């Protein structure tokens, strides 16, 4: 059967008309890029595709506005209007006399190459309407074909969240009509999801509210697979452009139990879920890139009667940042309390939230199960998941973030913040890079690599992997060399593991200074190593960069020279209430400036200067 003409597809999609007789066979190939790049609709979906195409040609490309600028612009508008945003205070987690209850639904885009029910490739920022299959447009005669490979990342996510995998799950149709859903229903797993009864444990280091003490366990009711909708882009004059690339992209919806009672804890849970999904390679992007979004259900009730039923809940849709999650919950909690205290009632409704807002806004009345008319999808067979597959994935999932953070803290003495950052950065690639550096350092340290004397060397590796690598891509930006090129196995194109290990080994052994070490790192990043110099040793030898440190007598002589004539400074070290550390460092700085900087270790200079000052002060006291 010949492929239907573009004009026929346009009449069907925009007007519900299809003039060709007969039915289309189920197609397994995707529609080539012959449909209009952008489909333009109004409220009644009655606009001509040619007008849309011409409109697109003349329209400028949408400009990405960073989140920070959006927040600043909103703050300026509030200031100009005379309204002030409520200041965050330490008590915003609780309201006396009231109990907040929150449940969260998290939608995460799965890391798959194909859509959920069609072979079209998944797309994030590609040309609009360039990855669309017949089924994605609900073309008559097309059938959903479950892409089995999409199940793998979904199972990894469920295992990371400690869920029970269901051997049999089924797909349902959730009916509603909107231009972003050509078929008039969304395929989901409402009645029989593939995973149930999970939990996620939050600790103080995850950023929970202080009121939650040493930790909280939040139950996960279920995780279900479902298809995403098309992307709608609002334009002036009540015009909307629709990109069907996103239609049918596989999602998981994670539904928690209403176990959360503080806004900060809700944001911490979303952050923790994002970290877990990244760790097991289940999610494509985080909230900052649109790959994960959250809906929160908020209700309040009087705290003097814990046995009373929960209050009427409202849902806040499509929160796209952690700050939005916390701020929206606080605003909705305060609104509901104000309504109830004034004698009103809370309506069951869906509400929205905008960046920089101080209050939520009503979107529509809340749909219930009856309104959506859930029904089993007759075109899709049950999904059978074998225990052997589940066990295979569980055994190969590796160490989860909590266990890895604990190991970094206990084994290397890292701070909680540094350990968390190392695990979370670059979707786990940064911590793999760190472990590779540690392995090479251990070989350089030899048989006693695990002895306490080398602990500071491993801490250097953590500090440099976390902070110094970041500085390479944020400072001295003179060209497009901004990407470190980290890989899944912890290798790095711009700063190979072996070079950083060599630099840190010599730095730890005090054979080079910190300043020289940073210059060597910069040379590696700029590819001068190995292009101009084959190894780190070659750079140090040819440029004479070895650290020829002053001996003890030279340090003492230099310190005494600096102290001479600094009577006003020295006086401050006599009978002080608080040790004048700033003045000490002033004198150390003069040591470095007066002496041979390349031969001075600042820490050693500080030690010697402190010793010399004690001698000078003791002499002055004896003389007086």
């Amino acid at each position: 059967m010949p492929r239907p003409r573009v004009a026929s597809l346009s009449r069907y999609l925009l007007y519900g008309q299809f003039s060709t007789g007969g039915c289309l066979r189920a197609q397994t190939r995707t529609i080539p890029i012959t449909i209009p790049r952008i489909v333009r609709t109004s409220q009644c979906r009655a606009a001509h595709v040619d007008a849309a195409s011409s409109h697109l040609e003349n329209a400028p490309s949408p400009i990405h506005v960073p989140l920070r600028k959006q927040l600043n612009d909103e703050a300026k508008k509030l200031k100009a209007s005379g309204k002030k945003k409520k200041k965050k205070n330490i008590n915003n987690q609780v309201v006396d006399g009231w109990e907040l209850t929150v449940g969260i639904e998290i939608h995460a885009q799965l890391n798959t190459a194909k859509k959920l029910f069609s072979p079209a490739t998944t797309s994030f920022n590609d040309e609009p309407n360039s990855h669309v299959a017949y089924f994605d447009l609900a073309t008559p005669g097309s059938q959903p074909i479950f892409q089995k490979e999409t199940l793998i990342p979904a199972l990894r996510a469920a295992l990371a969240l400690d869920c029970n995998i269901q051997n049999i799950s089924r797909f349902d149709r959730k009916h509603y009509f909107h231009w972003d859903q050509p078929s008039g229903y969304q395929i989901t797993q409402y009645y029989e999801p593939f995973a149930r009864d999970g939990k996620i444990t939050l600790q103080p280091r995850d950023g929970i509210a202080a009121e939650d003490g040493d930790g909280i366990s939040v139950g996960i009711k279920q995780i279900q697979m479902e298809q995403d909708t098309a992307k709608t882009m609002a334009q002036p004059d009540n015009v909307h452009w629709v990109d069907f690339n996103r239609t049918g992209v596989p999602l998981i919806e994670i539904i928690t139990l209403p176990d959360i009672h503080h806004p900060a804890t809700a944001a911490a849970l979303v952050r923790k879920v994002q970290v877990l999904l990244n760790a097991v390679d289940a999610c494509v992007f985080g909230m900052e890139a649109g790959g994960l979004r959250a809906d929160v259900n908020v209700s309040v009730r009087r705290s003097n009667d814990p046995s009373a039923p929960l209050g009427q809940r409202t849902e806040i849709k499509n929160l796209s940042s952690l700050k939005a999650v916390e701020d929206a919950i606080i605003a909705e909690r305060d609104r509901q309390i104000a309504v109830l205290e004034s004698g009103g009632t809370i309506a069951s409704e869906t509400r929205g939230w905008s960046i920089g807002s101080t209050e939520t806004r009503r979107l529509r009345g809340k749909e219930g199960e009856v309104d959506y008319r859930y029904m089993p999808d007759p075109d899709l067979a049950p999904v059978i998941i074998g225990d052997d597959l589940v066990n295979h994935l569980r055994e190969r999932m590796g160490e989860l973030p909590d266990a890895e953070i604990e190991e970094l803290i206990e084994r290397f003495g890292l701070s909680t913040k540094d350990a968390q950052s190392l695990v979370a950065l670059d979707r786990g690639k940064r911590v793999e890079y760190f472990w590779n550096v540690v392995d090479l350092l251990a070989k350089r340290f030899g048989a006693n690599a695990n002895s306490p004397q080398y602990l500071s060397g491993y801490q250097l590796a953590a500090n440099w992997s976390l902070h110094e690598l970041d500085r390479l891509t944020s400072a001295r930006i003179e060209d497009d060399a901004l990407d470190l090129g980290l890989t899944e196995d912890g290798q790095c194109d711009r700063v190979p593991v072996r070079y950083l290990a060599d630099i840190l080994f010599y730095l730890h052994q005090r054979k080079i200074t910190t300043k020289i070490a940073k210059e060597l790192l910069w040379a590696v990043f700029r590819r001068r190593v190995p292009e101009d110099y084959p190894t780190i040793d070659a750079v140090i030898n040819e440029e004479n960069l070895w650290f020829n440190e002053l001996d003890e007598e030279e340090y003492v002589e230099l310190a005494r020279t600096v102290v001479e004539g600094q009577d006003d400074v020295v006086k401050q070290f006599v009978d002080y209430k608080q040790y004048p550390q700033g003045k000490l460092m002033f004198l150390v700085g003069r040591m470095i400036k007066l002496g041979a900087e390349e031969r001075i270790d600042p820490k050693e200079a500080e030690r010697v200067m402190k010793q010399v000052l004690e001698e000078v002060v003791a002499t002055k006291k004896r003389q007086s």
Side-chain angles (χ1 to χ4, degrees), residues 455-474:
L455 178 62
S456 59
Y458 302 130
Q459 291 173 340
L460 273 176
N463 181 58
W464 281 57
S465 297
L466 186 60
H467 301 296
E468 297 302 329
L469 289 188
D470 277 347
R471 291 191 180 99
L472 295 176
T473 57
S474 61

Side-chain angles (χ1 to χ4, degrees), residues 161-178:
L161 295 170
D162 200 21
C163 290
N164 294 325
I165 306 300
Q166 308 300 296
N167 294 117
I168 300 177
S169 62
R170 292 180 170 84
F171 288 103
D172 307 301
R173 292 182 179 181
K174 174 183 177 181
H175 294 84
Y176 69 92
F177 295 94
H178 198 259

Side-chain angles (χ1 to χ4, degrees), residues 306-344:
S307 62
L310 296 177
Q312 175 61 58
R313 65 183 173 91
T314 58
E315 184 178 26
I316 309 171
K317 299 286 285 186
N318 292 329
L319 300 175
S320 57
S321 73
L322 299 172
K323 184 178 185 337
V325 170
E326 183 172 358
D327 289 350
I329 292 172
I330 291 172
E332 180 59 16
R333 176 201 63 191
D334 294 347
R335 183 194 73 84
Q336 291 188 18
I337 291 174
V339 170
L340 293 173
E341 288 182 337
S342 64

Side-chain angles (χ1 to χ4, degrees), residues 253-473:
E253 181 177 3
I254 303 166
I255 304 173
T256 76
L257 295 174
D259 294 338
I260 304 169
H261 301 289
H262 302 100
T265 302
L269 180 133
V270 177
R271 182 190 298 110
K272 186 72 170 282
V273 168
Q274 178 172 285
V275 169
L276 284 170
L277 296 184
N278 285 338
V280 297
D281 198 28
C283 187
V284 179
F285 302 103
M287 297 190 86
E288 71 284 351
L292 186 145
R293 51 192 187 271
D295 305 335
V296 295
N297 294 283
V298 179
S299 68
V300 297
R301 67 177 174 182
R302 297 282 183 181
S303 58
N304 56 8
D305 185 8
S307 62
L310 296 177
Q312 175 61 58
R313 65 183 173 91
T314 58
E315 184 178 26
I316 309 171
K317 299 286 285 186
N318 292 329
L319 300 175
S320 57
S321 73
L322 299 172
K323 184 178 185 337
V325 170
E326 183 172 358
D327 289 350
I329 292 172
I330 291 172
E332 180 59 16
R333 176 201 63 191
D334 294 347
R335 183 194 73 84
Q336 291 188 18
I337 291 174
V339 170
L340 293 173
E341 288 182 337
S342 64
T345 58
I346 304 300
S348 175
E349 59 188 3
T350 299
R351 301 183 69 84
W353 173 262
S354 298
I355 294 175
S357 298
T358 57
E359 56 188 30
T360 60
R361 66 185 187 280
R362 187 182 190 278
L363 296 178
R364 58 185 179 272
K366 181 68 178 171
E367 296 90 345
E369 181 177 346
V370 176
D371 297 316
Y372 282 136
R373 302 189 308 283
Y374 286 99
M375 60 168 282
D377 193 307
D379 295 330
L380 289 164
V383 179
I384 311 298
I385 304 173
D387 291 335
D388 55 342
L389 173 60
V390 175
N391 292 333
H392 174 82
L393 293 175
R394 182 181 284 114
E395 291 168 1
R396 286 159 178 75
M397 222 171 32
E399 194 173 37
L400 291 178
D402 274 347
E404 192 160 27
I405 289 170
E406 289 291 344
E407 183 177 4
L408 291 172
I409 293 172
E410 294 176 6
R411 181 175 172 185
F412 302 113
L414 302 188
S415 68
T416 298
K417 181 179 179 181
D418 281 353
Q420 286 180 304
S421 299
L422 199 56
V423 169
L425 273 176
D426 299 312
R427 296 174 59 84
K429 298 175 185 176
R430 189 74 65 96
V431 73
E432 290 298 325
Y433 179 83
F434 162 75
W435 285 116
N436 289 336
V437 174
V438 166
D439 289 343
L440 288 185
L441 278 177
K443 291 179 181 178
R444 298 294 297 270
F445 291 152
N448 298 321
N450 293 324
S451 65
Q453 63 177 324
Y454 296 122
L455 178 62
S456 59
Y458 302 130
Q459 291 173 340
L460 273 176
N463 181 58
W464 281 57
S465 297
L466 186 60
H467 301 296
E468 297 302 329
L469 289 188
D470 277 347
R471 291 191 180 99
L472 295 176
T473 57

Side-chain angles (χ1 to χ4, degrees), residues 39 57 127 140 142 151 184 223 234 375 397 447 485 519 522 524 608:
V39 179
E57 291 173 3
E127 187 75 16
S142 60
L151 184 62
I223 303 180
M375 60 168 282
M397 222 171 32
E519 291 299 329
W522 185 248
V524 171
V608 173

Side-chain angles (χ1 to χ4, degrees), residues 98-325:
W98 294 91
E99 180 190 60
L100 168 72
T101 301
V102 178
I104 304 180
E105 299 169 7
I106 299 173
H107 303 265
Q109 181 179 331
L110 293 175
N111 185 14
T112 63
K114 295 182 179 180
K115 295 186 178 182
L116 190 56
F117 299 113
S118 79
T121 56
T122 54
S123 161
F124 190 69
N125 282 325
D126 291 346
E127 187 75 16
N129 293 319
S130 59
H131 300 285
V132 186
Y134 284 119
F135 179 74
D136 300 331
L137 297 177
T139 308
S142 60
Q143 295 286 313
I145 302 174
F146 178 60
Q147 306 298 310
K148 292 180 289 186
E149 57 267 41
T150 61
L151 184 62
I152 303 303
L155 289 173
R156 288 200 298 262
L159 291 172
L161 295 170
D162 200 21
C163 290
N164 294 325
I165 306 300
Q166 308 300 296
N167 294 117
I168 300 177
S169 62
R170 292 180 170 84
F171 288 103
D172 307 301
R173 292 182 179 181
K174 174 183 177 181
H175 294 84
Y176 69 92
F177 295 94
H178 198 259
W179 57 56
D180 63 4
Q181 190 65 267
S183 61
Y185 59 85
Q186 178 190 32
I187 301 178
T188 182
Q189 291 185 318
Y190 184 74
Y191 292 112
E192 297 184 61
F194 76 95
R196 295 182 186 271
D197 303 327
K199 70 175 185 298
I200 182 167
T201 302
L202 300 172
Q203 304 176 45
R205 70 183 182 211
D206 295 315
I208 62 175
E211 291 79 3
D212 283 318
D214 294 333
I216 179 176
S217 180
V218 178
I220 294 174
K221 179 183 177 182
Q222 65 187 53
I223 303 180
Q224 57 202 43
M225 297 185 73
E226 60 185 27
Q227 57 180 175
D228 208 347
T229 59
K231 181 179 180 180
T232 301
M233 294 166 283
Q235 304 297 317
D237 301 325
N238 201 27
V239 169
H240 296 80
W241 292 347
V242 183
D243 178 10
F244 289 99
N245 279 350
R246 202 176 72 179
T247 304
V249 166
L251 304 177
I252 52 171
E253 181 177 3
I254 303 166
I255 304 173
T256 76
L257 295 174
D259 294 338
I260 304 169
H261 301 289
H262 302 100
T265 302
L269 180 133
V270 177
R271 182 190 298 110
K272 186 72 170 282
V273 168
Q274 178 172 285
V275 169
L276 284 170
L277 296 184
N278 285 338
V280 297
D281 198 28
C283 187
V284 179
F285 302 103
M287 297 190 86
E288 71 284 351
L292 186 145
R293 51 192 187 271
D295 305 335
V296 295
N297 294 283
V298 179
S299 68
V300 297
R301 67 177 174 182
R302 297 282 183 181
S303 58
N304 56 8
D305 185 8
S307 62
L310 296 177
Q312 175 61 58
R313 65 183 173 91
T314 58
E315 184 178 26
I316 309 171
K317 299 286 285 186
N318 292 329
L319 300 175
S320 57
S321 73
L322 299 172
K323 184 178 185 337
V325 170

